[in-house]
Amino acid sequence: MAKPAQGTKYRGSIHDFPNFDPSQDAEALYTAMKGFGSDKEAILELITSRSNRQRQEICQSYKSLYGKDLIADLKYELTGKFERLIVGLMRPLAYCDAKEIKDAVSGIGTDEKCLIEILASRTNKQIHQLVAAYKDAYERDLESDIISDTSGHFQKMLVVLLQGTREEDDVVSEDLVQQDVQDLYEAGELKWGTDEAQFIYILGNRSKQHLRLVFDEYLRTTGKPIEASIRGELSGDFEKLMLAVVKCVRSTPEYFAERLFKAMKGLGTRDNTLIRIMVSRSELDMLDIREIFRTKYEKSLYSMIKNDTSGEYKKALLKLCGGDDDAAGQFFPEAAQVAYQMWELSAVSRVELKGTVRPANDFNPDADAKALRKAMKGIGTDEATIIDIVTHRSNAQRQQIRQTFKSHFGRDLMADLKSELSGDLARLILGLMMPPAHYDAKQLKKAMEGAGTDEKALIEILATRTNAEIRAINEAYKENYHKSLEDALSSDTSGHFRRILISLATGNREEGGEDRDQAQEDAQVAAEILEIADTPSGDKTSLETRFMMILCTRSYPHLRRVFQEFIKMTNYDVEHTIKKEMSGDVRDAFVAIVQSVKNKPLFFADKLYKSMKGAGTDEKTLTRIMVSRSEIDLLNIRREFIEKYDKSLHQTIESDTSGDFLKALLALCGGED
């Protein structure tokens, strides 16, 4: 079994089997394979219950007892994916890696993803063992085989990683961090072309601790994460390799959680990837991978394997997984803190928010008004001109254009646009032409009009707007509809959900920092209302009111501290616990508040993804978010989108919409990532 480092806890899912007897196990395996057919259940039960060290002893005993090679017999008796998995488990990790790389570079074509995954994620010691195992098993030099099968900067970085010489000193020089940030910036963003050698040297050799500080400082200095620069400056397999290195530096378990999810999502399963990771991480960090998987994808690794595989293959994978975490919100104590840090590090407070639409230079409202009038005059409409002007002006500039249009032509620009445009494009352009508060007020009014209520729209707007934005919405609502927003919400919603929305609609969220003592008290209230506290200290109605007050009125920095205290107190994540313990609109409202506090751009990235995934598109949600966030944080939303879904917002819009609506959305999106 892999020994944990000094002072760290073992995080694998496979442990040494107690009272282990290699001769007895060898006999059991021989019996399971003797005669016609084989007892696959007995084979998988035994092999997945032993550590890798113990399996090597079983191989030796099998050879001593029967004069036969156990791996050869297993290959003969088993077939397909189950055979690959069981045989993989029987090899020492270094030899398993060596076999994977040999397969990746053999024959026609190269499995670059396999090379990237193994070489980007292994420690120096594991790399050295891999090189030696490759030489021993195939009597070939691994570096020579990699060089003959790859090329360019991709090849150079693989060779650097193959040396296994990454610095391991945890003492970091602040001066060197600053120098590396400057060198990376000058090698990419500031240079015509890219100096790939600097990226290779720094990312291939510096210690993980040093690189984490470099990434933090790079974001502070340049306003963009290192991943965005890599995507912008590098390409192809080299880009994928460098992004994998960055992910492993940030969190190796998170990298593997993402790889496992992608191996099983959608149609078909990438079984080679699934087998390789489940075998190689079962005695290293499978518990952390499981925890991050559930935190990130809101389902357990166990349940995804169960739904995506079958037969003995499935049973063996589930044994390696080691348990089902689908009791939403339950954390391993150590991984609970990792999970909190995952989203605390990406919290909005650390990142400068940027929109994609900025004020136009050399703005001339007179010329714009005339161009718009010309585009709508006579037979037909020049949609291209309308889209170009409206999507490339700030909202303040659009209001000037409206005023100038009325002064020049005595006409209402909004009315003219409404009569000339139609469908999704009309809704998008008219939304952009309205002041933000009036647009939000209209969306709230529409959500409450007619039969039924669009609770999702009410939640999305009221749970994410700042105090100033909420106050402006209240004024706009009163001005436009001659009724207070509070009265409208009161007449259209009910119960706890109504109380939550009215509380949010007052715009009275505190705006200070955190209060640690108060945060502990607030976390205790949350634990009691969510029924996981040891000592309840108040009646339920009073606790519910306090819980609502905490989520609806405490400042964002304070709530982040509350969520951290909640994890320390309970080993549960507040978002998952709300999802488990609550239901309906109340649950959805509280979850939206929590997600907005954790990372507002990610909240909107998720909403955009859901508006376009599957059959059909939710154009209303898509339009509402693109209009309302275009000058606030749409650039940040784009970055969260590509990071989580591995495809850009630009690509997703392009494949899911069409015509002039598509053109206008892409103009607002502001670029391809």
Side-chain angles (χ1 to χ4, degrees), residues 394-448:
S394 68
N395 194 275
Q397 290 175 334
R398 293 182 206 124
Q399 303 318 309
Q400 287 181 251
I401 295 169
R402 283 178 69 176
Q403 191 60 53
T404 305
F405 195 90
K406 182 158 262 185
S407 300
H408 272 321
F409 307 112
R411 300 171 68 91
D412 180 4
L413 176 55
M414 294 290 281
D416 281 6
L417 286 167
K418 203 169 185 178
S419 70
E420 293 292 328
L421 304 174
S422 62
D424 296 324
L425 178 64
R427 281 191 286 273
L428 181 66
I429 295 297
L430 289 167
L432 289 167
M433 291 305 301
M434 296 173 75
H438 288 260
Y439 179 71
D440 279 346
K442 184 173 184 183
Q443 297 304 303
L444 290 168
K445 181 78 164 64
K446 279 180 169 292
M448 294 183 279

Short mmCIF file of all heavy atoms in Angstrom, two decimals, residues 394-448:
data_model
loop_
_atom_site.label_atom_id
_atom_site.label_comp_id
_atom_site.label_asym_id
_atom_site.label_seq_id
_atom_site.Cartn_x
_atom_site.Cartn_y
_atom_site.Cartn_z
N SER A 394 -21.99 51.50 -24.78
CA SER A 394 -22.36 51.25 -23.40
C SER A 394 -23.82 51.65 -23.20
O SER A 394 -24.40 52.37 -24.02
CB SER A 394 -21.47 52.05 -22.45
OG SER A 394 -21.74 53.44 -22.60
N ASN A 395 -24.40 51.24 -22.08
CA ASN A 395 -25.81 51.59 -21.85
C ASN A 395 -25.99 53.10 -21.73
O ASN A 395 -26.99 53.65 -22.24
CB ASN A 395 -26.33 50.89 -20.59
CG ASN A 395 -27.84 50.94 -20.51
OD1 ASN A 395 -28.40 51.91 -20.02
ND2 ASN A 395 -28.50 49.90 -21.02
N ALA A 396 -25.05 53.76 -21.09
CA ALA A 396 -25.15 55.23 -20.97
C ALA A 396 -25.13 55.87 -22.36
O ALA A 396 -25.88 56.83 -22.61
CB ALA A 396 -24.00 55.74 -20.12
N GLN A 397 -24.30 55.36 -23.25
CA GLN A 397 -24.25 55.89 -24.62
C GLN A 397 -25.55 55.62 -25.37
O GLN A 397 -26.04 56.46 -26.13
CB GLN A 397 -23.05 55.30 -25.37
CG GLN A 397 -21.71 55.81 -24.85
CD GLN A 397 -20.52 55.14 -25.50
OE1 GLN A 397 -20.61 53.99 -25.96
NE2 GLN A 397 -19.39 55.84 -25.53
N ARG A 398 -26.15 54.44 -25.12
CA ARG A 398 -27.43 54.14 -25.78
C ARG A 398 -28.53 55.10 -25.35
O ARG A 398 -29.39 55.47 -26.15
CB ARG A 398 -27.84 52.68 -25.46
CG ARG A 398 -26.93 51.64 -26.07
CD ARG A 398 -27.43 50.21 -25.76
NE ARG A 398 -26.31 49.28 -25.79
CZ ARG A 398 -25.96 48.46 -24.80
NH1 ARG A 398 -26.65 48.45 -23.68
NH2 ARG A 398 -24.92 47.66 -24.93
N GLN A 399 -28.50 55.51 -24.07
CA GLN A 399 -29.51 56.47 -23.61
C GLN A 399 -29.33 57.83 -24.31
O GLN A 399 -30.31 58.50 -24.64
CB GLN A 399 -29.45 56.63 -22.09
CG GLN A 399 -29.62 55.33 -21.29
CD GLN A 399 -30.70 54.43 -21.83
OE1 GLN A 399 -31.83 54.85 -22.06
NE2 GLN A 399 -30.34 53.15 -22.08
N GLN A 400 -28.07 58.20 -24.55
CA GLN A 400 -27.82 59.45 -25.30
C GLN A 400 -28.34 59.33 -26.74
O GLN A 400 -28.89 60.29 -27.28
CB GLN A 400 -26.31 59.76 -25.32
CG GLN A 400 -25.78 60.24 -23.99
CD GLN A 400 -24.28 60.56 -24.09
OE1 GLN A 400 -23.45 59.84 -23.56
NE2 GLN A 400 -23.94 61.62 -24.78
N ILE A 401 -28.16 58.15 -27.33
CA ILE A 401 -28.65 57.93 -28.71
C ILE A 401 -30.17 58.07 -28.73
O ILE A 401 -30.74 58.69 -29.64
CB ILE A 401 -28.21 56.54 -29.23
CG1 ILE A 401 -26.69 56.45 -29.37
CG2 ILE A 401 -28.87 56.25 -30.58
CD1 ILE A 401 -26.17 55.04 -29.63
N ARG A 402 -30.86 57.50 -27.74
CA ARG A 402 -32.32 57.61 -27.68
C ARG A 402 -32.77 59.06 -27.63
O ARG A 402 -33.70 59.47 -28.32
CB ARG A 402 -32.85 56.88 -26.43
CG ARG A 402 -32.89 55.38 -26.55
CD ARG A 402 -33.38 54.70 -25.27
NE ARG A 402 -34.80 54.97 -25.02
CZ ARG A 402 -35.47 54.42 -24.01
NH1 ARG A 402 -34.86 53.59 -23.16
NH2 ARG A 402 -36.75 54.69 -23.84
N GLN A 403 -32.08 59.83 -26.79
CA GLN A 403 -32.44 61.24 -26.64
C GLN A 403 -32.19 62.01 -27.94
O GLN A 403 -33.02 62.80 -28.39
CB GLN A 403 -31.61 61.84 -25.49
CG GLN A 403 -32.06 63.23 -25.05
CD GLN A 403 -33.51 63.23 -24.56
OE1 GLN A 403 -33.86 62.44 -23.69
NE2 GLN A 403 -34.35 64.08 -25.14
N THR A 404 -31.05 61.74 -28.55
CA THR A 404 -30.69 62.43 -29.80
C THR A 404 -31.66 62.04 -30.92
O THR A 404 -32.06 62.89 -31.73
CB THR A 404 -29.24 62.06 -30.20
OG1 THR A 404 -28.37 62.36 -29.12
CG2 THR A 404 -28.80 62.81 -31.43
N PHE A 405 -32.05 60.78 -30.96
CA PHE A 405 -33.00 60.29 -31.98
C PHE A 405 -34.32 61.07 -31.88
O PHE A 405 -34.89 61.50 -32.88
CB PHE A 405 -33.24 58.79 -31.76
CG PHE A 405 -33.89 58.07 -32.91
CD1 PHE A 405 -33.14 57.50 -33.92
CD2 PHE A 405 -35.28 57.96 -32.98
CE1 PHE A 405 -33.73 56.83 -34.98
CE2 PHE A 405 -35.89 57.29 -34.04
CZ PHE A 405 -35.11 56.73 -35.05
N LYS A 406 -34.79 61.24 -30.64
CA LYS A 406 -36.05 61.98 -30.44
C LYS A 406 -35.89 63.44 -30.83
O LYS A 406 -36.78 64.04 -31.46
CB LYS A 406 -36.50 61.85 -28.98
CG LYS A 406 -37.82 62.53 -28.70
CD LYS A 406 -38.48 61.96 -27.47
CE LYS A 406 -39.52 60.93 -27.86
NZ LYS A 406 -40.30 60.39 -26.77
N SER A 407 -34.75 64.06 -30.47
CA SER A 407 -34.50 65.47 -30.79
C SER A 407 -34.44 65.70 -32.30
O SER A 407 -34.95 66.69 -32.82
CB SER A 407 -33.19 65.94 -30.16
OG SER A 407 -33.23 65.80 -28.77
N HIS A 408 -33.80 64.78 -33.00
CA HIS A 408 -33.62 64.92 -34.46
C HIS A 408 -34.89 64.63 -35.25
O HIS A 408 -35.24 65.35 -36.17
CB HIS A 408 -32.53 63.96 -34.96
CG HIS A 408 -31.16 64.54 -34.91
ND1 HIS A 408 -30.89 65.85 -35.21
CD2 HIS A 408 -29.96 63.97 -34.58
CE1 HIS A 408 -29.59 66.07 -35.07
NE2 HIS A 408 -29.00 64.95 -34.69
N PHE A 409 -35.53 63.51 -34.88
CA PHE A 409 -36.60 63.00 -35.76
C PHE A 409 -38.00 63.07 -35.14
O PHE A 409 -38.98 62.72 -35.79
CB PHE A 409 -36.29 61.55 -36.17
CG PHE A 409 -34.92 61.38 -36.76
CD1 PHE A 409 -33.93 60.67 -36.08
CD2 PHE A 409 -34.59 61.96 -37.99
CE1 PHE A 409 -32.66 60.52 -36.61
CE2 PHE A 409 -33.32 61.81 -38.52
CZ PHE A 409 -32.34 61.10 -37.84
N GLY A 410 -38.06 63.49 -33.86
CA GLY A 410 -39.35 63.56 -33.19
C GLY A 410 -40.00 62.20 -33.05
O GLY A 410 -41.23 62.07 -33.01
N ARG A 411 -39.18 61.17 -33.01
CA ARG A 411 -39.69 59.79 -32.95
C ARG A 411 -39.07 59.05 -31.76
O ARG A 411 -37.98 59.41 -31.30
CB ARG A 411 -39.34 59.03 -34.24
CG ARG A 411 -39.91 59.65 -35.51
CD ARG A 411 -39.35 58.96 -36.75
NE ARG A 411 -39.81 57.59 -36.87
CZ ARG A 411 -40.93 57.24 -37.54
NH1 ARG A 411 -41.68 58.16 -38.14
NH2 ARG A 411 -41.28 55.98 -37.61
N ASP A 412 -39.78 58.04 -31.29
CA ASP A 412 -39.30 57.22 -30.18
C ASP A 412 -38.50 56.05 -30.77
O ASP A 412 -39.06 55.19 -31.46
CB ASP A 412 -40.49 56.70 -29.37
CG ASP A 412 -40.06 55.83 -28.20
OD1 ASP A 412 -38.85 55.69 -27.98
OD2 ASP A 412 -40.93 55.26 -27.51
N LEU A 413 -37.20 56.03 -30.49
CA LEU A 413 -36.33 54.99 -31.04
C LEU A 413 -36.81 53.59 -30.63
O LEU A 413 -36.79 52.67 -31.45
CB LEU A 413 -34.88 55.22 -30.58
CG LEU A 413 -33.85 54.16 -30.99
CD1 LEU A 413 -33.83 53.96 -32.50
CD2 LEU A 413 -32.46 54.55 -30.48
N MET A 414 -37.22 53.44 -29.38
CA MET A 414 -37.69 52.12 -28.90
C MET A 414 -38.89 51.64 -29.72
O MET A 414 -38.96 50.48 -30.12
CB MET A 414 -38.06 52.20 -27.42
CG MET A 414 -36.88 52.47 -26.50
SD MET A 414 -35.73 51.07 -26.38
CE MET A 414 -36.61 50.03 -25.24
N ALA A 415 -39.83 52.55 -29.97
CA ALA A 415 -41.02 52.18 -30.75
C ALA A 415 -40.65 51.79 -32.17
O ALA A 415 -41.18 50.81 -32.72
CB ALA A 415 -42.01 53.34 -30.76
N ASP A 416 -39.70 52.53 -32.77
CA ASP A 416 -39.27 52.21 -34.13
C ASP A 416 -38.58 50.84 -34.18
O ASP A 416 -38.82 50.03 -35.09
CB ASP A 416 -38.32 53.29 -34.66
CG ASP A 416 -39.06 54.53 -35.13
OD1 ASP A 416 -40.30 54.59 -34.93
OD2 ASP A 416 -38.42 55.45 -35.69
N LEU A 417 -37.71 50.58 -33.21
CA LEU A 417 -37.02 49.28 -33.17
C LEU A 417 -38.02 48.14 -32.99
O LEU A 417 -37.92 47.09 -33.62
CB LEU A 417 -36.00 49.26 -32.01
CG LEU A 417 -34.72 50.08 -32.21
CD1 LEU A 417 -33.96 50.23 -30.90
CD2 LEU A 417 -33.82 49.44 -33.28
N LYS A 418 -39.03 48.38 -32.15
CA LYS A 418 -40.05 47.37 -31.88
C LYS A 418 -40.83 47.02 -33.14
O LYS A 418 -41.18 45.86 -33.38
CB LYS A 418 -41.00 47.89 -30.80
CG LYS A 418 -41.74 46.80 -30.06
CD LYS A 418 -42.44 47.38 -28.84
CE LYS A 418 -43.07 46.29 -28.01
NZ LYS A 418 -43.70 46.82 -26.80
N SER A 419 -41.09 48.04 -33.98
CA SER A 419 -41.88 47.79 -35.19
C SER A 419 -41.04 47.17 -36.30
O SER A 419 -41.56 46.52 -37.21
CB SER A 419 -42.53 49.09 -35.68
OG SER A 419 -41.54 49.97 -36.20
N GLU A 420 -39.71 47.37 -36.26
CA GLU A 420 -38.84 46.88 -37.34
C GLU A 420 -38.24 45.51 -37.06
O GLU A 420 -37.90 44.77 -37.99
CB GLU A 420 -37.70 47.89 -37.58
CG GLU A 420 -38.14 49.23 -38.13
CD GLU A 420 -38.66 49.12 -39.57
OE1 GLU A 420 -38.18 48.26 -40.32
OE2 GLU A 420 -39.56 49.89 -39.92
N LEU A 421 -38.08 45.17 -35.78
CA LEU A 421 -37.45 43.90 -35.42
C LEU A 421 -38.50 42.95 -34.86
O LEU A 421 -39.59 43.37 -34.49
CB LEU A 421 -36.34 44.12 -34.38
CG LEU A 421 -35.25 45.11 -34.76
CD1 LEU A 421 -34.30 45.34 -33.58
CD2 LEU A 421 -34.47 44.64 -35.98
N SER A 422 -38.15 41.67 -34.76
CA SER A 422 -39.11 40.71 -34.23
C SER A 422 -38.38 39.57 -33.52
O SER A 422 -37.17 39.40 -33.65
CB SER A 422 -39.97 40.13 -35.36
OG SER A 422 -39.14 39.43 -36.29
N GLY A 423 -39.15 38.81 -32.76
CA GLY A 423 -38.65 37.60 -32.12
C GLY A 423 -37.53 37.83 -31.12
O GLY A 423 -37.48 38.85 -30.42
N ASP A 424 -36.59 36.86 -31.07
CA ASP A 424 -35.50 36.91 -30.08
C ASP A 424 -34.61 38.12 -30.27
O ASP A 424 -34.14 38.72 -29.30
CB ASP A 424 -34.66 35.63 -30.17
CG ASP A 424 -35.46 34.39 -29.80
OD1 ASP A 424 -36.32 34.49 -28.91
OD2 ASP A 424 -35.25 33.34 -30.43
N LEU A 425 -34.35 38.50 -31.53
CA LEU A 425 -33.49 39.67 -31.79
C LEU A 425 -34.14 40.92 -31.23
O LEU A 425 -33.45 41.75 -30.60
CB LEU A 425 -33.23 39.83 -33.29
CG LEU A 425 -32.37 41.05 -33.66
CD1 LEU A 425 -30.96 40.90 -33.07
CD2 LEU A 425 -32.29 41.24 -35.16
N ALA A 426 -35.45 41.09 -31.43
CA ALA A 426 -36.14 42.28 -30.91
C ALA A 426 -36.01 42.34 -29.39
O ALA A 426 -35.71 43.40 -28.83
CB ALA A 426 -37.61 42.24 -31.33
N ARG A 427 -36.23 41.21 -28.71
CA ARG A 427 -36.14 41.20 -27.25
C ARG A 427 -34.73 41.56 -26.78
O ARG A 427 -34.56 42.27 -25.78
CB ARG A 427 -36.55 39.83 -26.70
CG ARG A 427 -38.06 39.62 -26.65
CD ARG A 427 -38.43 38.36 -25.86
NE ARG A 427 -38.12 37.16 -26.64
CZ ARG A 427 -38.96 36.62 -27.52
NH1 ARG A 427 -40.13 37.16 -27.75
NH2 ARG A 427 -38.62 35.52 -28.18
N LEU A 428 -33.74 41.06 -27.49
CA LEU A 428 -32.35 41.34 -27.11
C LEU A 428 -32.01 42.82 -27.31
O LEU A 428 -31.49 43.48 -26.40
CB LEU A 428 -31.40 40.46 -27.92
CG LEU A 428 -29.91 40.60 -27.64
CD1 LEU A 428 -29.58 40.13 -26.23
CD2 LEU A 428 -29.08 39.81 -28.64
N ILE A 429 -32.30 43.36 -28.49
CA ILE A 429 -31.94 44.75 -28.81
C ILE A 429 -32.72 45.73 -27.92
O ILE A 429 -32.15 46.68 -27.38
CB ILE A 429 -32.19 45.05 -30.31
CG1 ILE A 429 -31.24 44.21 -31.19
CG2 ILE A 429 -32.04 46.54 -30.61
CD1 ILE A 429 -29.77 44.50 -31.01
N LEU A 430 -34.03 45.49 -27.75
CA LEU A 430 -34.83 46.37 -26.89
C LEU A 430 -34.35 46.30 -25.44
O LEU A 430 -34.34 47.31 -24.74
CB LEU A 430 -36.31 45.98 -26.99
CG LEU A 430 -36.98 46.32 -28.33
CD1 LEU A 430 -38.33 45.63 -28.45
CD2 LEU A 430 -37.13 47.84 -28.50
N GLY A 431 -33.93 45.11 -25.00
CA GLY A 431 -33.39 44.98 -23.65
C GLY A 431 -32.12 45.80 -23.47
O GLY A 431 -31.93 46.46 -22.45
N LEU A 432 -31.26 45.78 -24.47
CA LEU A 432 -30.02 46.56 -24.41
C LEU A 432 -30.28 48.05 -24.40
O LEU A 432 -29.50 48.83 -23.83
CB LEU A 432 -29.11 46.19 -25.59
CG LEU A 432 -28.48 44.79 -25.55
CD1 LEU A 432 -27.88 44.43 -26.90
CD2 LEU A 432 -27.41 44.71 -24.46
N MET A 433 -31.36 48.47 -25.03
CA MET A 433 -31.66 49.91 -25.14
C MET A 433 -32.29 50.47 -23.86
O MET A 433 -32.38 51.68 -23.69
CB MET A 433 -32.61 50.17 -26.32
CG MET A 433 -31.98 49.96 -27.69
SD MET A 433 -30.46 50.92 -27.98
CE MET A 433 -31.05 52.60 -27.76
N MET A 434 -32.72 49.61 -22.95
CA MET A 434 -33.33 50.07 -21.69
C MET A 434 -32.26 50.30 -20.63
O MET A 434 -31.27 49.56 -20.58
CB MET A 434 -34.33 49.04 -21.17
CG MET A 434 -35.53 48.80 -22.08
SD MET A 434 -36.57 47.44 -21.48
CE MET A 434 -37.37 48.25 -20.10
N PRO A 435 -32.42 51.28 -19.74
CA PRO A 435 -31.52 51.39 -18.59
C PRO A 435 -31.59 50.10 -17.78
O PRO A 435 -32.68 49.50 -17.67
CB PRO A 435 -32.08 52.57 -17.80
CG PRO A 435 -32.89 53.36 -18.79
CD PRO A 435 -33.45 52.34 -19.75
N PRO A 436 -30.49 49.65 -17.19
CA PRO A 436 -30.46 48.34 -16.51
C PRO A 436 -31.58 48.14 -15.48
O PRO A 436 -32.21 47.09 -15.45
CB PRO A 436 -29.08 48.31 -15.84
CG PRO A 436 -28.24 49.18 -16.71
CD PRO A 436 -29.15 50.26 -17.22
N ALA A 437 -31.84 49.14 -14.65
CA ALA A 437 -32.87 48.99 -13.62
C ALA A 437 -34.25 48.82 -14.24
O ALA A 437 -35.08 48.03 -13.77
CB ALA A 437 -32.86 50.19 -12.68
N HIS A 438 -34.52 49.54 -15.33
CA HIS A 438 -35.81 49.43 -16.01
C HIS A 438 -35.93 48.06 -16.70
O HIS A 438 -37.03 47.48 -16.75
CB HIS A 438 -35.97 50.57 -17.02
CG HIS A 438 -36.20 51.90 -16.37
ND1 HIS A 438 -37.44 52.46 -16.25
CD2 HIS A 438 -35.33 52.75 -15.76
CE1 HIS A 438 -37.34 53.63 -15.61
NE2 HIS A 438 -36.07 53.82 -15.31
N TYR A 439 -34.80 47.56 -17.21
CA TYR A 439 -34.82 46.24 -17.83
C TYR A 439 -35.13 45.17 -16.79
O TYR A 439 -36.00 44.31 -17.00
CB TYR A 439 -33.47 45.95 -18.50
CG TYR A 439 -33.41 44.57 -19.14
CD1 TYR A 439 -34.13 44.29 -20.30
CD2 TYR A 439 -32.65 43.54 -18.58
CE1 TYR A 439 -34.11 43.03 -20.89
CE2 TYR A 439 -32.61 42.29 -19.16
CZ TYR A 439 -33.34 42.03 -20.32
OH TYR A 439 -33.31 40.78 -20.89
N ASP A 440 -34.43 45.23 -15.62
CA ASP A 440 -34.70 44.25 -14.56
C ASP A 440 -36.14 44.36 -14.06
O ASP A 440 -36.79 43.34 -13.80
CB ASP A 440 -33.72 44.46 -13.39
CG ASP A 440 -32.36 43.82 -13.64
OD1 ASP A 440 -32.26 42.99 -14.57
OD2 ASP A 440 -31.41 44.13 -12.90
N ALA A 441 -36.63 45.59 -13.92
CA ALA A 441 -38.01 45.78 -13.47
C ALA A 441 -38.98 45.12 -14.44
O ALA A 441 -39.95 44.46 -14.03
CB ALA A 441 -38.31 47.27 -13.32
N LYS A 442 -38.71 45.28 -15.73
CA LYS A 442 -39.59 44.68 -16.73
C LYS A 442 -39.53 43.16 -16.67
O LYS A 442 -40.55 42.47 -16.81
CB LYS A 442 -39.19 45.16 -18.13
CG LYS A 442 -40.14 44.64 -19.21
CD LYS A 442 -39.88 45.24 -20.57
CE LYS A 442 -40.92 44.75 -21.57
NZ LYS A 442 -40.68 45.24 -22.93
N GLN A 443 -38.33 42.60 -16.46
CA GLN A 443 -38.20 41.14 -16.37
C GLN A 443 -38.95 40.60 -15.15
O GLN A 443 -39.58 39.54 -15.22
CB GLN A 443 -36.72 40.75 -16.28
CG GLN A 443 -35.89 41.12 -17.51
CD GLN A 443 -36.47 40.54 -18.79
OE1 GLN A 443 -36.65 39.34 -18.93
NE2 GLN A 443 -36.79 41.41 -19.73
N LEU A 444 -38.90 41.35 -14.04
CA LEU A 444 -39.64 40.93 -12.85
C LEU A 444 -41.15 41.00 -13.10
O LEU A 444 -41.90 40.10 -12.70
CB LEU A 444 -39.27 41.83 -11.65
CG LEU A 444 -37.84 41.64 -11.11
CD1 LEU A 444 -37.48 42.75 -10.14
CD2 LEU A 444 -37.69 40.28 -10.43
N LYS A 445 -41.57 42.07 -13.78
CA LYS A 445 -43.00 42.22 -14.09
C LYS A 445 -43.47 41.06 -14.97
O LYS A 445 -44.52 40.45 -14.72
CB LYS A 445 -43.21 43.55 -14.82
CG LYS A 445 -44.68 43.85 -15.20
CD LYS A 445 -45.47 44.34 -14.00
CE LYS A 445 -46.78 45.01 -14.39
NZ LYS A 445 -47.73 44.12 -15.02
N LYS A 446 -42.68 40.74 -16.00
CA LYS A 446 -43.05 39.64 -16.91
C LYS A 446 -43.10 38.31 -16.15
O LYS A 446 -43.92 37.45 -16.44
CB LYS A 446 -42.03 39.53 -18.04
CG LYS A 446 -42.26 40.52 -19.18
CD LYS A 446 -41.19 40.33 -20.24
CE LYS A 446 -41.52 41.10 -21.51
NZ LYS A 446 -42.68 40.59 -22.24
N ALA A 447 -42.19 38.13 -15.18
CA ALA A 447 -42.14 36.88 -14.41
C ALA A 447 -43.40 36.69 -13.57
O ALA A 447 -43.74 35.56 -13.20
CB ALA A 447 -40.91 36.87 -13.51
N MET A 448 -44.10 37.80 -13.27
CA MET A 448 -45.29 37.72 -12.42
C MET A 448 -46.59 37.91 -13.20
O MET A 448 -47.67 37.86 -12.63
CB MET A 448 -45.20 38.75 -11.28
CG MET A 448 -44.07 38.47 -10.30
SD MET A 448 -44.01 39.64 -8.93
CE MET A 448 -43.16 41.04 -9.69
#
